Amino acid sequence: MQVIRSIKEMQAFSESARQQGKTIVLVPTMGFLHEGHATLMREGRKKGDVLVISIFVNPAQFGPGEDYEQYPRDWESDVKIAESAGVDCIFTPDAGEMYPDGFQTTVSLSQVTGNLCGIYRPTHFQGVATVVAKLFNCTKPHRALFGEKDFQQLVVIRRMVKDLNFDIQVSGVPTVREPDGLAMSSRNLYLNTEQRAAAVSLSRALLEAQKMFKAGERNAGVLMEAARKIIEGEHGTTIDYIKICDVETLEDIQRIAQPVVMALAVRIGKARLIDNIVLNG
């Protein structure tokens, strides 16, 4: 497994693979890898000849007062997990390599970033879209895999790829969960024992809404209120949002008659956790 820190070296590596007729698969990450990332990597291993992961904690997607400096990092563990998943190359540039002096270009999307996390983190998806566009140009993949836990991010990347004519196939991989249902996240590290127990309310709320939907409920407000009661029933939870949206436009839906995603964001202690479920896919 190679570790590459230079953009020019990464581009040369990928160009050589392409000239040999090999298919490159990219799994972008911010490191502190866990089983959710490993699942993405194992899936990527099946889909191409060369598996590249990026490990880069992207300062551009953190807003003022967010946890960029505190974001967990564990290089030794990341290397072991990547090796065990069959990764061929880790691309891990530093911030100065990705954003050199004078950097001033960004990628912005006007609509799909306006709801859900975009309301509470107004600069976040500009940072995400910009860094992913750069990672695509650095690693030159044929395919890229993203976790469906970050559903809005997946929608944003698919929209960017379509709008800017990237010749890359973007695939979503289902959310990986702990045995009790909590979606795996690097930020779960922030939770103490009591908060960790409360965090399970996110998946319980989504499953209750899914159960009600399968029983025939189509009023989005009724489903959201049921989810809200479950989460607010736990001590120390603060809801940023619970919404039901069209899976492509991410516009709010009042009555469900098309594929929708129920998405939520909840603050518990230092952690801001997100989760979602597609109700009518």
Side-chain angles (χ1 to χ4, degrees):
M1 184 177 71
Q2 291 187 236
V3 176
I4 297 178
R5 302 181 186 278
S6 159
I7 291 173
K8 287 186 177 180
E9 186 180 346
M10 185 68 246
Q11 289 172 326
F13 174 93
S14 294
E15 188 59 33
S16 174
R18 279 177 165 266
Q19 288 176 358
Q20 296 171 54
K22 295 180 178 179
T23 300
I24 301 170
V25 180
L26 171 67
V27 176
T29 84
M30 292 207 300
F32 205 69
L33 304 179
H34 51 66
E35 180 58 25
H37 298 108
T39 298
L40 283 165
M41 289 182 263
R42 288 193 294 267
E43 189 65 23
R45 181 72 279 168
K46 301 174 188 176
K47 295 184 180 297
D49 306 306
V50 178
L51 176 58
V52 177
I53 71 165
S54 60
I55 295 179
F56 179 62
V57 183
N58 175 35
Q61 68 190 67
F62 290 80
E66 293 187 346
D67 59 341
Y68 173 67
E69 295 295 340
Q70 293 77 36
Y71 193 85
R73 297 159 171 87
D74 190 337
W75 173 251
E76 289 75 16
S77 175
D78 289 351
V79 169
K80 291 178 181 177
I81 291 172
E83 285 181 328
S84 68
V87 170
D88 296 300
C89 174
I90 298 177
F91 176 50
T92 181
D94 63 25
E97 179 79 358
M98 291 293 277
Y99 301 110
D101 289 344
F103 186 88
Q104 57 188 285
T105 303
T106 58
V107 179
S108 299
L109 289 83
S110 60
Q111 296 179 33
V112 294
T113 59
N115 201 359
L116 304 176
C117 286
I119 297 172
Y120 296 85
R121 307 179 73 190
T123 63
H124 173 69
F125 288 111
Q126 177 176 288
V128 168
T130 300
V131 79
V132 172
K134 287 177 66 65
L135 290 170
F136 285 169
N137 286 328
C138 294
T139 62
K140 304 184 180 183
H142 298 86
R143 305 188 70 166
L145 274 61
F146 296 83
E148 292 178 356
K149 181 181 77 72
D150 298 293
F151 195 88
Q152 187 172 18
Q153 172 179 273
L154 178 59
V155 171
V156 166
I157 299 308
R158 282 178 167 156
R159 185 77 252 176
M160 179 187 75
V161 164
K162 183 176 182 179
D163 288 352
L164 299 184
N165 307 108
F166 280 100
D167 187 18
I168 298 170
Q169 181 179 349
V170 175
S171 300
V173 176
T175 302
V176 179
R177 299 183 180 277
E178 302 285 358
D180 60 5
L182 179 64
M184 288 189 176
S185 169
S186 299
R187 289 186 169 98
N188 290 348
L189 177 73
Y190 298 157
L191 302 170
N192 62 31
T193 302
E194 181 182 1
Q195 293 164 344
R196 173 66 180 72
V200 180
S201 64
L202 277 69
S203 60
R204 287 198 293 110
L206 293 170
L207 289 174
E208 177 62 21
Q210 182 185 54
K211 177 181 175 182
M212 294 170 65
F213 176 81
K214 288 181 176 179
E217 182 59 66
R218 294 296 182 268
N219 185 313
V222 172
L223 298 179
M224 291 186 289
E225 183 58 27
R228 181 177 299 278
K229 286 181 179 178
I230 290 172
I231 294 170
E232 290 182 341
E234 295 289 341
H235 175 71
T237 57
T238 302
I239 297 171
D240 271 3
Y241 65 79
I242 300 174
K243 286 179 174 261
I244 293 178
C245 304
D246 182 277
V247 294
E248 292 187 2
T249 67
L250 298 184
E251 294 176 350
D252 291 341
I253 297 295
Q254 271 68 55
R255 188 154 193 88
I256 301 171
Q258 74 262 52
V260 297
V261 60
M262 184 174 193
L264 46 81
V266 179
R267 297 178 188 271
I268 304 177
K270 289 169 47 180
R272 182 181 186 273
L273 306 178
I274 59 173
D275 205 346
N276 69 80
I277 194 167
V278 174
L279 293 179
N280 194 20

